[in-house]
Amino acid sequence: MQLTTLLVPTYTQMLKTLAGWLKKAQAQLPETEAQALLSARLAPDMYPLSTQVRFACVQAREAMCRLRGEGFPPAINELLNEGRHAVKSPGSLAEAYARINETVAVLDSLAADALDVDGNKAIAHELPNGMVLDLTADQYARDWTLGQFYFHVMTAYSILRKEGINLGKADYVAHMLPYVRPETIPKG
């Protein structure tokens, strides 16, 4: 399976979309309130917005390493630690943008065939609680990394909506606008 053509554009588009949502939030709120969004959560037992941003970046970076059979660079552990400690130290919107931009730069630096691996390649994915998932590369891409990535992106979207940020479906699928037939765009 040619995972580069599936995963890299997906991660890149959605991370840029996530940055766009944060910019919309900044435009809609006074700066102190916009910064405070980073501590907002959907539920008391869930991580805040700042963690969702970081963990979306982790999922994209981690997938690149796992699929290529490489160890994790220090940046992944930094993101994980920042995310896990975000309740006490959420960081700033500038830092959130920086994490997104750094991740997009990593994705943009990949060769066109960087993730074109044998779909049956074995991947042992250890979870933080010690459980290990035995997956093929195809299963890992389809069933784990995309799902986890979208979980964090959609949780970020949901937190922003819950906090009153004016976002809608068009904000979620903004990357699809280039595919719209011009003559089908509603007038007015």
Side-chain angles (χ1 to χ4, degrees), residues 4 7-20 22-23 53-62 64 68 75-76 79 95-111 115 149 153:
T4 306
L7 296 178
V8 174
T10 299
Y11 292 142
T12 301
Q13 289 170 351
M14 292 311 297
L15 287 169
K16 289 177 179 179
T17 297
L18 175 57
L22 296 175
K23 288 176 186 167
V53 171
R54 285 171 172 85
F55 284 4
C57 293
V58 166
Q59 288 302 318
R61 288 179 173 211
E62 186 177 298
M64 304 307 108
R68 292 185 297 178
I76 291 177
L79 283 166
E95 291 168 326
Y97 294 129
R99 294 305 188 218
I100 292 169
N101 292 336
E102 291 162 5
T103 302
V104 169
V106 167
L107 296 169
D108 286 346
S109 74
L110 292 173
L115 303 179
F149 175 77
V153 170

Side-chain angles (χ1 to χ4, degrees), residues 35-55 79-92 159:
Q35 294 292 334
L37 287 172
L38 292 169
S39 295
R41 310 176 198 209
L42 283 179
D45 64 341
M46 291 182 76
Y47 281 118
L49 176 62
S50 58
T51 299
Q52 304 306 327
V53 171
R54 285 171 172 85
F55 284 4
L79 283 166
L80 285 169
N81 287 331
E82 288 174 4
R84 289 178 183 138
H85 297 100
V87 172
K88 292 180 183 173
S89 183
S92 67
I159 290 169

Side-chain angles (χ1 to χ4, degrees), residues 98-175:
R99 294 305 188 218
I100 292 169
N101 292 336
E102 291 162 5
T103 302
V104 169
V106 167
L107 296 169
D108 286 346
S109 74
L110 292 173
D113 63 351
L115 303 179
D116 294 349
V117 299
D118 176 1
N120 292 315
K121 174 184 171 182
I123 294 182
H125 179 58
E126 185 173 350
L127 301 176
N129 66 6
M131 291 178 17
V132 177
L133 303 173
D134 289 316
L135 306 164
T136 66
D138 285 350
Q139 291 167 331
Y140 173 77
R142 181 191 65 228
D143 301 336
W144 180 263
T145 191
L146 279 174
Q148 292 297 310
F149 175 77
Y150 274 109
F151 172 84
H152 295 295
V153 170
M154 284 310 303
T155 301
Y157 177 89
S158 298
I159 290 169
L160 291 168
R161 287 295 311 265
K162 175 187 157 282
E163 294 298 316
I165 302 306
N166 185 16
L167 295 172
K169 183 78 172 237
D171 296 294
Y172 182 72
V173 296
H175 61 281

